[in-house]
Amino acid sequence: MNRPTRVLLGGYRCECHTSSLSNGDAAALLGSVDVETAPQAVRWIRVALRTLSPALNSETYEEAWQWLTEDHHDALQALVQGEPITLTLQQDPTTIQWTARPVQFLKLTTRQGINSPTCTKEYTEPRHQPE
């Protein structure tokens, strides 16, 4: 007897937005990622923050460093407990905001071919042709 396939999969949605007070811009999405675990969500934010930190002014850099070294533990705990997290930094007129929140992903199909529609066999990736 076949066991039913889980239709919903738990995970986390992570996003990074920026906005500028100087020209009244609405928040712009810079990047996003869907991950399976809370540690992956926090790691995504930490990598982005480490990449950006050398360009920050000293006050904002200190806030970023505090989150990188200490506060990310609290963020991880919140995600594990099912709560969303937000990290907001102000760099002159620009606001940078990272968010991560628990979500349920709808599993549409498997890549094993067992539950895939027959048309998936028609669309295979082209093989690399030597030059």
Side-chain angles (χ1 to χ4, degrees):
M1 175 184 239
N2 290 340
R3 295 167 72 180
T5 304
R6 288 182 34 188
V7 176
L8 294 177
L9 302 172
Y12 299 86
R13 174 73 178 171
C14 308
E15 297 178 346
C16 179
H17 292 89
T18 63
S19 59
S20 178
L21 298 175
S22 64
N23 57 10
D25 281 347
L29 178 64
L30 286 185
S32 64
V33 66
D34 298 326
V35 296
E36 295 177 1
T37 67
Q40 289 171 330
V42 170
R43 187 176 313 119
W44 183 77
I45 296 170
R46 292 183 78 208
V47 167
L49 192 52
R50 279 192 184 123
T51 302
L52 178 66
S53 64
L56 299 174
N57 63 36
S58 60
E59 182 180 328
T60 307
Y61 179 85
E62 290 300 321
E63 288 179 55
W65 190 251
Q66 175 65 33
W67 197 89
L68 283 169
T69 58
E70 300 293 329
D71 297 346
H72 74 277
H73 297 294
D74 294 335
L76 177 59
Q77 200 60 24
L79 283 174
V80 167
Q81 293 173 359
E83 301 170 18
I85 61 164
T86 300
L87 170 61
T88 304
L89 297 177
Q90 189 70 37
Q91 173 74 12
D92 299 322
T94 303
T95 301
I96 310 162
Q97 185 175 74
W98 289 270
T99 60
R101 66 185 186 280
V103 295
Q104 294 289 315
F105 297 109
L106 178 61
K107 184 176 181 180
L108 298 176
T109 186
T110 67
R111 297 198 182 263
Q112 306 302 323
I114 298 168
N115 296 326
S116 297
T118 55
C119 65
T120 59
K121 294 179 181 92
E122 296 176 27
Y123 303 100
T124 59
E125 290 188 33
R127 292 191 174 123
H128 178 68
Q129 300 293 325
E131 295 180 20

